[in-house]
Amino acid sequence: MVVGVIFIPIGIAALLASRSVVEIIDEYQTACIPSNYTSNDQRVQYIQDFTTDKICTRLLTVPKYMKKPIFVYYQLENYYQNHRRYVKSRSDKQLLYGEGASLADTETCKPKQLLDDQPIIPCGLIAWSLFNDTYSFTISGNAVPVNKKGISWKSDRYHKFGNVYPENFPNNLPNNENGSLIGGSSLDLNVPLNEQEDLIVWMRTAALPTFRKLYGRIEQDLKAHTQLTAQINNNYNTYSFRGKKKLVLSTTSWLGGKNDFLGVAYITVGTVSIFLGLAFFIVQWKYPRPLGDISYLSWNQKPATS
Amino acid sequence: MEFRFASIFGENYESADDPEETFASHENEPTTESTVGVSWKPKAGVKVDRRLVQVLKESTSSLQRSMVHDYLLTLAACNTVVPTRIKLTSSGNLEMEVANAADDEIQLVEYQGESPDEQALVAAAASYGYTLVERTSDYIVIDVLGQRMTFELLGIHEFDSIRKCMSLIVKCPNGQVKVLVKGADSAVLKKIALSEKTTHIAGERQAQVLLDTQMHLGMYSNQGLRTLVVGVRELSDSEFTNWQRLYAKANASVSERATLLQEAAQAVENDLILLGATGIEDKLQDGVPETISTLRDARIKVWVLTGDKQETAISIGFSCALLTPDMQQIIINASDKQQCHDAIKAAKEAYVQVENRYWTFRASGRIYDFETELPGSPEKVTELSTRPFLQRMKLESFRSINSSRADSGRSRHDRLLALIIDGNSLAHALDKDLEQELFDLATACQVVICCRVAPLQKAGIVSLVKRKSKEMTLAIGDGANDVSMIQMADVGVGLSGQEGRQAVLASDFAMGQFRFLQRLLLIHGHLNYRRLGYMVLYNFYRNAVLVMLLFWYTLYTAFSTSPAITQWSLVLYTVIYTSVPTIVVAIMDRNLSPQTLLKYPGLYKSGQQNESYSRLLFWLTMLDTLWQSLVLFYVPYLTFRHSTIDTWSIGSIWIISVVILVNLHLAMDVEHYTWITHLAIWGSIVATYICLIALDLLTDDDSLVYYGTIFNIAGTASYWLDIFLIIVIALLPRFVVKLVKQKFWPSDVDIAREEEILKG
């Protein structure tokens, strides 16, 4: 009962919060590949071909008024960033101390530990597979700026990533120079890791195979029915494992993003509790048994029943 | 142990209850007075019979007088008691040394013996002026009415269970060689010389004495006294020489010593002159009848396995409330196997299968016939116990068995049955082909008394019950002869008493008094059963819920067993986060107060009915665990399905949720809160938070990954709402089931608990 009384208001509040969030989701991994590439193998070939320009334009409609800040996410599906070996393929010591990290410290980064016998900074599969699609937005030809500062956790920026400059990063090599494919984005060799927030965000590995990562913030309100043009550089290969890529624009509430689950769950639990409570009181009222009445003890009952 | 009756040469003497007479016998024996009076403080109260004292005062050497002399001499000498001198040293310590007759400054003498029976006999003899002063392997010094007499000890035939008697060959100061015999009536009475064979002056009266003595023996044992028969014999020179040869040969023999000694003993232990019998009261300890009836209320079956005679055992059975007059007694004492078989069979037919009829049962010529309807006979046969008989401090054996389930076919009667079976019959009944029959019969009876049981038979009976049923057995005893039984039983309880430490050393639990058994079983047994049962379930749950949670996560990490929860937390989960409440509750929780448990012994059957642990409960708990782990996993999963949540953040939610959940689960089941319990449970949750924060602040190489996680995630509303939701959803089914069960299908324990709480 009490649970019900407490839960239902929480549920309603949560549900309202969730409903107030405006979200635009655009799944583009298929749409951004020319339609003549029909089979998955062809798509993989397309995405791995570094000679083509993979710019893709998507038209998004703002359904409701969106208040700033509007968060821009990319959402990947069927992407197991939480795989045991993937998660371990990093060296936190190297991220913090750069060349101060010994070879033993980067042991976990194999097979992306060394490049031509020189240590890779940042090493490991996570950094190597950094997401490299990029987005830019325009409304009627006017650019809508995306603020990419402050998208990572402060604690990560200040304590986990040092003033370390990338070195020997395989993705920075001209494509196919050493005969292998790049994993993802290159890094700006002139910017220390603790300022490369895309990397910092990426390296906080996602818990679930469907996840969003913050790309940036749009610091202006968008009116309802606005036509927003998104220009996407479709570089990242999710085709070989049939992963989906989505672009998400979302406002936020006190509860975070759009998710009805908490609200619905609270309301359901509250309702069930009230129902059970009522049922209990009704049964209790119909078949009362005085508390602690020793005449109900089994040996006191027996003569009566047998 | 107290000496109560003496039958001397056909004359019955009873220890008077009038304390004034206590020292009457010492009036004219100043020496004895000084020695005995001081030394016998604890036993000075052995009461004397004035008539016997009168006889002793007669200086005439009448036949009666000399018989009394031999009788008391035997009591004082024929034993293995060693007098010990005690004196207080200047430092206040008690110092003991073997008494030495040459030392005239004896202050206190205490008798140390193998059995309290012997001590009682020696004490009795001392009260009549026959004080054992010194014993060595060569001679015995006895203070006879103030006169020191030294007897040369020629040989001892110690007690053994085949001869059932003990004899001593001594040379009296006057040069006579005498055989002093003391033993069980069945054994000694067979060796009595009939008048025509004896050469002793008392011979012609033997037949009459034998009759009188037997009558007295019957009387004593019907009063629950332990009886011994005392005989004497004078050896002629040729007999003595013959015996001496046998005895020397036996002592020199290496391989067949026991057999040869028996032969030697048999050579002299015959043609005895019957001196009389003793009756020793084997006093019940305090609270024995109450304890037994309490145990029976708790549906524990009590079996008594005793070495006493049948009559003694029955009489003790009544005095300790084990037997009641309204019980149907089935008595079996058969001398051969066939007879035994028939008797058991007949008893089974009569009582086990046929109901509601009154029967007179006959076995081997004895008829006992009592019965009545008993109110509320238990439908469940639950356990048994056997118990011995107890003198001031002594019980021989006891065992109890609790079982859980009703033994359907067996106890359908409306009246209580008591089976009384003796050692001879048991020897046959425990044979393979009869034991099933015996077991069926015995388990149908509420009380089983086995008398004249040898130590190994005791173990045999326990083992029979253990093998044939699923019941638990408890054996309690205080003597060395109970050791095998105590070891055989599931639970062995040793009483430390006068019979030495063997039973205690062999036991699982040692107690001072039989009545403590109530507390041991009803309170400690009950509470520990509940705690143990609950803790087994809880610990399975506690660990399974975390492991299942990790497993569900594996399904979403491409089966790579990637841990979301930090390594440290996985380790600390059992060590810090959830351990202390488990320990505290396992030690301190109690569902009912000791007072309530003693007030309603029936509550003990909660254990017999497997209320706290059963296969069903185990699987229900596992089902609950499954549900809780699913809730734990899926609430955060669904909440953060499409979000930026990272591995360590969701792990942080999971670990704190599982810790709070597991501790609240325990808190919900705790039945007796103390401040320590509160501290443990809430303290654990706080400690977990502290640990999590500390872990996320570590900056060493391995922990850096986690740095700062909790500060970021705990700043979101979803974090708190998730934890709250998980706890409520996860515990809801358990809470509802528990509430409904207590409310509408309460167990006896639940009701007693309500009563206790309501009445404060």
Side-chain angles (χ1 to χ4, degrees):
Chain A
M1 279 298 254
V2 177
V3 165
V5 171
I6 300 173
F7 267 47
I8 290 183
I10 296 180
I12 291 170
L15 199 57
L16 287 178
S18 165
R19 288 288 156 92
S20 72
V21 171
V22 184
E23 237 180 26
I24 304 171
I25 301 178
D26 183 55
E27 182 176 327
Y28 65 87
Q29 86 278 3
T30 316
C32 281
I33 290 199
S35 50
N36 50 341
Y37 293 85
T38 48
S39 79
N40 201 57
D41 287 347
Q42 287 171 323
R43 288 181 187 140
V44 173
Q45 253 176 7
Y46 171 84
I47 202 82
Q48 289 181 343
D49 182 354
F50 53 88
T51 55
T52 47
D53 180 14
K54 303 189 196 70
I55 289 178
C56 155
T57 306
R58 305 283 296 161
L59 207 58
L60 311 173
T61 310
V62 178
K64 277 197 259 177
Y65 184 80
M66 292 175 86
K67 204 169 159 18
K68 69 176 180 184
I70 299 161
F71 291 86
V72 180
Y73 301 98
Y74 51 94
Q75 176 169 333
L76 299 178
E77 294 181 19
N78 199 28
Y79 193 118
Y80 287 88
Q81 226 195 353
N82 56 14
H83 192 282
R84 186 182 187 85
R85 294 178 62 189
Y86 184 89
V87 168
K88 294 194 164 197
S89 189
R90 66 190 286 158
S91 167
D92 287 289
K93 202 162 184 189
Q94 190 197 50
L95 294 174
L96 189 54
Y97 302 114
E99 288 170 333
S102 69
L103 213 56
D105 292 328
T106 57
E107 196 68 16
T108 49
C109 288
K110 282 179 177 172
K112 297 293 173 193
Q113 184 192 13
L114 301 172
L115 185 68
D116 298 334
D117 290 336
Q118 292 299 307
I120 296 171
I121 301 176
C123 70
L125 286 173
I126 310 179
W128 176 73
S129 60
L130 177 59
F131 189 71
N132 60 354
D133 286 5
T134 57
Y135 313 112
S136 58
F137 302 93
T138 53
I139 298 173
S140 332
N142 301 324
V144 177
V146 176
N147 179 6
K148 290 180 69 69
K149 283 276 169 218
I151 55 174
S152 60
W153 288 4
K154 266 192 195 161
S155 59
D156 285 358
R157 254 176 287 152
Y158 296 145
H159 299 280
K160 280 168 76 171
F161 290 79
N163 193 24
V164 172
Y165 290 87
E167 274 173 41
N168 283 319
F169 195 59
N171 295 347
N172 284 32
L173 296 174
N175 273 314
N176 273 349
E177 185 184 82
N178 61 351
S180 71
L181 297 166
I182 59 164
S185 180
S186 56
L187 293 171
D188 187 340
L189 299 177
N190 301 314
V191 177
L193 292 183
N194 57 8
E195 287 174 26
Q196 306 219 17
E197 294 203 38
D198 279 327
L199 177 72
I200 297 175
V201 168
W202 182 253
M203 293 206 65
R204 186 153 271 277
T205 53
L208 300 168
T210 295
F211 62 88
R212 290 176 183 181
K213 295 257 175 223
L214 191 54
Y215 181 82
R217 275 188 299 264
I218 295 174
E219 308 274 9
Q220 69 182 60
D221 295 353
L222 295 180
K223 297 193 180 73
H225 312 303
T226 312
Q227 294 288 313
L228 185 69
T229 310
Q231 205 173 50
I232 300 171
N233 265 317
N234 183 22
N235 298 321
Y236 202 69
N237 179 9
T238 57
Y239 300 93
S240 38
F241 52 91
R242 293 171 194 269
K244 290 179 182 172
K245 294 196 279 192
K246 290 175 180 172
L247 171 63
V248 178
L249 274 71
S250 171
T251 58
T252 186
S253 68
W254 60 271
L255 200 53
K258 189 175 186 67
N259 190 343
D260 289 351
F261 169 74
L262 273 181
V264 172
Y266 268 87
I267 293 174
T268 311
V269 172
T271 315
V272 169
S273 307
I274 289 182
F275 172 76
L276 285 174
L278 283 178
F280 183 76
F281 279 113
I282 290 169
V283 181
Q284 167 77 344
W285 172 66
K286 282 198 125 180
Y287 307 99
R289 175 178 68 83
L291 282 177
D293 185 342
I294 55 164
S295 67
Y296 283 85
L297 288 169
S298 63
W299 54 91
N300 291 337
Q301 292 254 294
K302 260 180 201 136
T305 51
S306 62
Chain B
M1 279 293 190
E2 191 173 313
F3 186 82
R4 287 288 303 279
F5 289 97
S7 161
I8 304 175
F9 214 58
E11 199 68 37
N12 181 37
Y13 300 98
E14 181 175 359
S15 296
D17 283 335
D18 184 354
E20 288 176 20
E21 299 188 24
T22 303
F23 271 36
S25 63
H26 304 313
E27 282 163 11
N28 53 355
E29 291 97 48
T31 324
T32 314
E33 176 89 62
S34 61
T35 310
V36 174
V38 182
S39 60
W40 281 95
K41 259 188 187 147
K43 287 171 183 162
V46 173
K47 293 152 189 142
V48 296
D49 185 301
R50 181 164 280 170
R51 283 187 301 129
L52 185 53
V53 173
Q54 289 304 327
V55 173
L56 284 170
K57 281 181 183 167
E58 291 169 21
S59 50
T60 60
S61 54
S62 71
L63 181 60
Q64 182 73 15
R65 173 71 177 78
S66 74
M67 288 298 121
V68 168
H69 172 76
D70 282 353
Y71 179 88
L72 291 174
L73 202 58
T74 309
L75 293 194
C78 187
N79 51 51
T80 54
V81 167
V82 178
T84 311
R85 187 186 57 175
I86 299 179
K87 69 178 178 206
L88 283 172
T89 61
S90 52
S91 61
N93 293 330
L94 265 185
E95 213 174 66
M96 295 167 90
E97 41 184 271
V98 173
N100 186 338
D103 184 350
D104 288 332
E105 293 174 34
I106 295 174
Q107 288 162 342
L108 275 169
V109 172
E110 191 169 282
Y111 290 143
Q112 305 270 325
E114 279 174 16
S115 92
D117 297 40
E118 289 189 341
Q119 293 173 23
L121 291 175
V122 175
S127 299
Y128 288 106
Y130 285 71
T131 312
L132 176 64
V133 179
E134 188 187 7
R135 171 188 296 279
T136 71
S137 52
D138 296 327
Y139 59 90
I140 297 169
V141 179
I142 295 177
D143 185 309
V144 178
L145 302 174
Q147 239 182 315
R148 283 260 160 89
M149 291 172 81
T150 304
F151 297 83
E152 195 181 337
L153 186 56
L154 299 171
I156 294 182
H157 293 293
E158 295 205 353
F159 182 87
D160 70 50
S161 53
I162 299 164
R163 281 165 42 240
K164 291 187 176 164
C165 66
M166 160 180 189
S167 59
L168 214 64
I169 291 93
V170 294
K171 190 180 216 174
C172 301
N174 61 9
Q176 257 181 341
V177 176
K178 277 188 179 174
V179 183
L180 308 175
V181 181
K182 179 192 80 178
D185 50 1
S186 59
V188 179
L189 290 182
K190 280 186 213 150
K191 296 172 180 165
I192 297 302
L194 291 177
S195 52
E196 54 276 15
K197 285 199 223 158
T198 185
T199 53
H200 191 274
I201 40 158
E204 62 263 30
R205 283 184 57 192
Q206 278 294 292
Q208 182 57 39
V209 171
L210 183 61
L211 278 181
D212 288 347
T213 308
Q214 275 175 331
M215 192 187 76
H216 293 146
L217 283 172
M219 185 178 89
Y220 299 165
S221 48
N222 281 335
Q223 292 179 26
L225 300 182
R226 291 201 157 175
T227 57
L228 286 173
V229 173
V230 177
V232 72
R233 179 182 179 196
E234 282 171 27
L235 287 183
S236 64
D237 286 350
S238 65
E239 283 167 326
F240 173 64
T241 322
N242 180 37
W243 168 80
Q244 212 170 23
R245 193 172 44 78
L246 287 172
Y247 188 69
K249 187 174 148 205
N251 275 331
S253 166
V254 177
S255 53
E256 296 170 306
R257 193 180 168 128
T259 328
L260 290 171
L261 271 177
Q262 261 180 40
E263 265 174 39
Q266 264 147 18
V268 289
E269 287 171 2
N270 53 40
D271 292 345
L272 301 176
I273 295 162
L274 178 61
L275 289 173
T278 60
I280 301 170
E281 187 176 11
D282 194 354
K283 273 193 185 157
L284 287 177
Q285 292 183 347
D286 290 347
V288 169
E290 293 82 354
T291 303
I292 291 192
S293 78
T294 307
L295 292 179
R296 301 239 316 251
D297 285 345
R299 306 278 151 84
I300 293 172
K301 270 202 181 171
V302 179
W303 292 26
V304 176
L305 310 179
T306 175
D308 287 344
K309 297 174 52 149
Q310 183 166 304
E311 290 78 8
T312 308
I314 292 175
S315 145
I316 293 175
F318 278 107
S319 68
C320 67
L322 191 61
L323 294 173
T324 48
D326 51 13
M327 273 186 178
Q328 172 84 41
Q329 295 187 2
I330 304 172
I331 295 185
I332 296 178
N333 36 24
S335 51
D336 64 40
K337 192 164 176 177
Q338 189 54 42
Q339 225 180 336
C340 179
H341 177 77
D342 296 345
I344 293 177
K345 226 163 163 181
K348 260 182 84 177
E349 272 163 27
Y351 299 107
V352 182
Q353 271 122 37
V354 184
E355 300 183 55
N356 293 329
R357 280 203 261 150
Y358 294 177
W359 285 81
T360 299
F361 179 72
R362 169 189 294 252
S364 67
R366 282 171 193 263
I367 301 172
Y368 279 82
D369 165 19
F370 332 149
E371 64 307 294
T372 320
E373 301 263 352
L374 255 221
S377 75
E379 349 180 305
K380 324 224 162 176
V381 173
T382 9
E383 77 358 278
L384 350 165
S385 5
T386 71
R387 260 253 347 260
F389 282 121
L390 5 158
Q391 50 282 52
R392 195 170 64 204
M393 278 258 202
K394 133 135 209 186
L395 307 188
E396 277 168 7
S397 27
F398 178 91
R399 77 194 240 305
S400 98
I401 304 180
N402 359 3
S403 81
S404 29
R405 257 158 229 119
D407 220 337
S408 48
R410 300 212 182 103
S411 32
R412 293 170 292 168
H413 352 247
D414 286 344
R415 61 184 172 272
L416 296 175
L417 296 177
L419 174 68
I420 294 142
I421 185 164
D422 71 2
N424 286 338
S425 318
L426 264 182
H428 303 302
L430 285 176
D431 279 355
K432 281 223 168 62
D433 36 338
L434 271 182
E435 62 178 16
Q436 183 60 47
E437 305 262 320
L438 174 70
F439 177 75
D440 290 345
L441 177 61
T443 45
C445 297
Q446 275 64 45
V447 174
V448 176
I449 296 181
C450 305
C451 14
R452 286 260 182 260
V453 184
L456 270 180
Q457 280 180 327
K458 293 182 181 177
I461 295 166
V462 176
S463 124
L464 171 71
V465 177
K466 267 176 82 176
R467 273 183 287 123
K468 296 281 178 188
S469 70
K470 289 179 181 165
E471 341 255 321
M472 296 292 293
T473 56
L474 178 149
I476 177 168
D478 70 343
N481 54 354
D482 300 322
V483 168
S484 58
M485 173 183 78
I486 287 174
Q487 285 175 333
M488 176 64 74
D490 295 295
V491 180
V493 179
L495 293 173
S496 52
Q498 297 187 338
E499 303 228 349
R501 305 274 308 160
Q502 288 99 322
V504 167
L505 293 175
S507 64
D508 303 312
F509 296 96
M511 307 190 292
Q513 298 246 321
F514 181 72
R515 67 193 156 95
F516 297 153
L517 198 60
Q518 302 192 53
R519 288 186 68 86
L520 178 70
L521 292 178
L522 295 187
I523 300 176
H524 301 291
H526 176 96
L527 293 180
N528 280 316
Y529 167 71
R530 305 280 295 194
R531 288 177 198 144
L532 206 59
Y534 180 73
M535 277 303 140
V536 169
L537 293 176
Y538 178 75
N539 280 304
F540 269 116
Y541 153 79
R542 180 165 71 100
N543 291 294
V545 77
L546 179 68
V547 172
M548 285 188 193
L549 167 65
L550 297 176
F551 178 74
W552 305 137
Y553 185 56
T554 299
L555 301 183
Y556 291 87
T557 60
F559 300 96
S560 65
T561 68
S562 181
I565 296 168
T566 67
Q567 303 287 343
W568 271 113
S569 282
L570 288 176
V571 172
L572 296 180
Y573 177 72
T574 0
V575 181
I576 295 181
Y577 301 171
T578 60
S579 62
V580 178
T582 315
I583 295 168
V584 168
V585 172
I587 294 172
M588 312 203 37
D589 197 29
R590 56 159 217 243
N591 56 346
L592 292 165
S593 67
Q595 292 80 2
T596 313
L597 287 170
L598 285 180
K599 187 166 150 203
Y600 304 118
L603 294 174
Y604 185 70
K605 78 185 159 60
S606 83
Q608 296 161 356
Q609 294 171 347
N610 289 351
E611 273 180 24
S612 294
Y613 186 83
S614 63
R615 193 166 295 181
L616 176 71
L617 268 179
F618 175 79
W619 289 115
L620 280 179
T621 305
M622 284 296 112
L623 204 64
D624 185 34
T625 309
L626 185 67
W627 164 257
Q628 297 195 11
S629 71
L630 286 171
V631 171
L632 270 173
F633 179 78
Y634 279 101
V635 167
Y637 173 78
L638 292 170
T639 310
F640 297 107
R641 195 163 29 154
H642 300 154
S643 75
T644 58
I645 193 86
D646 63 272
T647 317
W648 315 121
S649 299
I650 207 166
S652 185
I653 295 182
W654 277 328
I655 189 68
I656 192 65
S657 302
V658 77
V659 169
I660 296 178
L661 177 64
V662 160
N663 281 312
L664 284 182
H665 176 115
L666 185 66
M668 193 168 90
D669 291 342
V670 167
E671 297 180 289
H672 176 73
Y673 270 102
T674 62
W675 64 269
I676 298 178
T677 321
H678 281 294
L679 185 70
I681 291 177
W682 314 120
S684 281
I685 295 176
V686 172
T688 305
Y689 261 110
I690 293 171
C691 283
L692 289 178
I693 289 170
L695 286 176
D696 283 352
L697 283 175
L698 291 180
T699 53
D700 67 284
D701 301 348
D702 293 326
S703 310
L704 198 57
V705 176
Y706 316 120
Y707 186 87
T709 307
I710 197 168
F711 304 105
N712 287 285
I713 188 69
T716 65
S718 308
Y719 173 83
W720 299 102
L721 285 182
D722 259 19
I723 294 174
F724 192 34
L725 187 64
I726 288 171
I727 305 303
V728 172
I729 301 186
L731 290 180
L732 196 61
R734 185 180 180 85
F735 179 73
V736 169
V737 167
K738 201 174 146 143
L739 192 68
V740 168
K741 154 101 188 21
Q742 272 177 15
K743 212 65 201 161
F744 304 114
W745 292 278
S747 67
D748 291 334
V749 171
D750 293 332
I751 296 171
R753 226 175 105 68
E754 287 166 5
E755 191 215 0
E756 185 179 308
I757 291 167
L758 283 182
K759 296 193 177 154

Coordinates of all heavy atoms in Angstrom, one line a residue, chain B residues 191-208 210 271-273:
Chain B
K191 N 25.2 -69.6 42.6 CA 26.4 -70.2 43.2 C 26.2 -70.5 44.7 O 27.2 -70.8 45.4 CB 27.6 -69.2 43.0 CG 27.9 -69.1 41.5 CD 28.9 -68.0 41.3 CE 29.2 -67.9 39.8 NZ 29.9 -66.7 39.5
I192 N 25.0 -70.2 45.2 CA 24.8 -70.5 46.6 C 24.8 -72.0 46.9 O 24.2 -72.8 46.2 CB 23.4 -69.9 47.0 CG1 23.4 -68.4 46.8 CG2 23.1 -70.2 48.4 CD1 24.5 -67.6 47.6
A193 N 25.4 -72.3 48.0 CA 25.5 -73.7 48.4 C 24.2 -74.1 49.0 O 23.6 -73.3 49.8 CB 26.6 -73.9 49.3
L194 N 23.6 -75.2 48.6 CA 22.4 -75.6 49.3 C 22.9 -76.3 50.5 O 24.0 -76.8 50.7 CB 21.6 -76.5 48.4 CG 21.0 -75.7 47.2 CD1 20.2 -76.6 46.3 CD2 20.1 -74.6 47.8
S195 N 22.0 -76.4 51.5 CA 22.4 -76.8 52.8 C 23.1 -78.1 52.9 O 24.1 -78.3 53.6 CB 21.1 -76.9 53.7 OG 20.2 -77.7 53.1
E196 N 22.7 -79.1 52.1 CA 23.3 -80.4 52.3 C 24.8 -80.4 51.8 O 25.6 -81.2 52.3 CB 22.5 -81.5 51.5 CG 22.3 -81.3 50.1 CD 21.0 -80.4 49.8 OE1 20.5 -79.7 50.7 OE2 20.6 -80.5 48.6
K197 N 25.2 -79.5 51.0 CA 26.5 -79.5 50.5 C 27.5 -78.7 51.4 O 28.7 -78.9 51.4 CB 26.6 -78.9 49.1 CG 26.1 -79.8 48.0 CD 26.7 -79.3 46.7 CE 25.6 -79.3 45.6 NZ 25.9 -78.4 44.5
T198 N 26.9 -77.7 52.1 CA 27.8 -76.9 52.8 C 28.3 -77.4 54.1 O 27.6 -78.3 54.7 CB 27.1 -75.5 53.0 OG1 28.1 -74.6 53.6 CG2 26.0 -75.6 54.0
T199 N 29.4 -77.0 54.5 CA 29.9 -77.4 55.8 C 29.9 -76.3 56.8 O 30.2 -76.5 58.0 CB 31.4 -77.8 55.6 OG1 32.1 -76.7 55.0 CG2 31.5 -79.0 54.8
H200 N 29.4 -75.2 56.4 CA 29.4 -74.0 57.2 C 28.3 -74.1 58.3 O 27.3 -74.7 58.0 CB 29.2 -72.8 56.4 CG 29.5 -71.5 57.1 ND1 28.5 -70.9 57.9 CD2 30.6 -70.7 57.3 CE1 29.0 -69.8 58.4 NE2 30.3 -69.7 58.1
I201 N 28.5 -73.5 59.3 CA 27.6 -73.6 60.4 C 26.2 -73.0 60.0 O 25.2 -73.4 60.5 CB 28.0 -72.9 61.7 CG1 28.7 -71.6 61.3 CG2 28.9 -73.8 62.5 CD1 28.8 -70.6 62.4
A202 N 26.3 -72.0 59.1 CA 25.1 -71.3 58.7 C 24.3 -72.1 57.7 O 23.3 -71.8 57.3 CB 25.4 -70.0 58.1
G203 N 24.9 -73.2 57.2 CA 24.4 -73.9 56.1 C 22.9 -74.3 56.2 O 22.2 -74.1 55.3
E204 N 22.6 -74.8 57.4 CA 21.2 -75.3 57.5 C 20.1 -74.2 57.3 O 19.0 -74.5 57.0 CB 21.0 -76.0 58.8 CG 21.1 -75.1 60.0 CD 22.5 -75.3 60.6 OE1 23.5 -75.5 59.9 OE2 22.6 -75.1 61.8
R205 N 20.5 -73.0 57.4 CA 19.5 -72.0 57.2 C 19.5 -71.4 55.8 O 18.7 -70.5 55.5 CB 19.7 -70.9 58.3 CG 19.2 -71.3 59.6 CD 19.3 -70.2 60.6 NE 18.6 -69.0 60.2 CZ 18.8 -67.8 60.8 NH1 19.6 -67.7 61.8 NH2 18.1 -66.8 60.4
Q206 N 20.4 -71.9 55.0 CA 20.5 -71.2 53.7 C 19.2 -71.2 52.8 O 18.9 -70.2 52.2 CB 21.6 -72.0 52.9 CG 23.0 -71.5 53.2 CD 23.2 -70.1 52.8 OE1 23.3 -69.8 51.6 NE2 23.4 -69.2 53.7
A207 N 18.5 -72.3 52.8 CA 17.3 -72.3 52.0 C 16.4 -71.2 52.4 O 15.8 -70.5 51.6 CB 16.7 -73.7 52.1
Q208 N 16.2 -71.1 53.7 CA 15.3 -70.1 54.2 C 15.8 -68.7 53.9 O 15.1 -67.8 53.4 CB 15.1 -70.2 55.8 CG 14.2 -69.2 56.4 CD 12.8 -69.3 55.8 OE1 12.3 -70.4 55.5 NE2 12.2 -68.1 55.5
L210 N 17.7 -67.9 51.5 CA 17.6 -67.7 50.0 C 16.2 -67.2 49.7 O 16.1 -66.2 48.9 CB 17.9 -69.0 49.3 CG 17.9 -69.0 47.8 CD1 18.9 -68.0 47.3 CD2 18.1 -70.4 47.2
D271 N 29.5 -72.7 45.9 CA 29.2 -73.1 47.3 C 29.2 -72.0 48.3 O 29.8 -72.1 49.4 CB 30.2 -74.2 47.7 CG 29.9 -75.5 47.0 OD1 28.8 -75.6 46.3 OD2 30.8 -76.4 47.0
L272 N 28.7 -70.9 47.8 CA 28.8 -69.7 48.7 C 27.8 -69.7 49.8 O 26.7 -70.4 49.6 CB 28.6 -68.4 47.8 CG 29.5 -68.2 46.7 CD1 29.1 -67.0 45.9 CD2 30.9 -68.0 47.2
I273 N 28.1 -69.1 50.8 CA 27.1 -68.8 51.8 C 26.4 -67.5 51.5 O 27.1 -66.5 51.4 CB 27.7 -68.8 53.2 CG1 28.2 -70.2 53.5 CG2 26.7 -68.4 54.3 CD1 29.3 -70.1 54.6

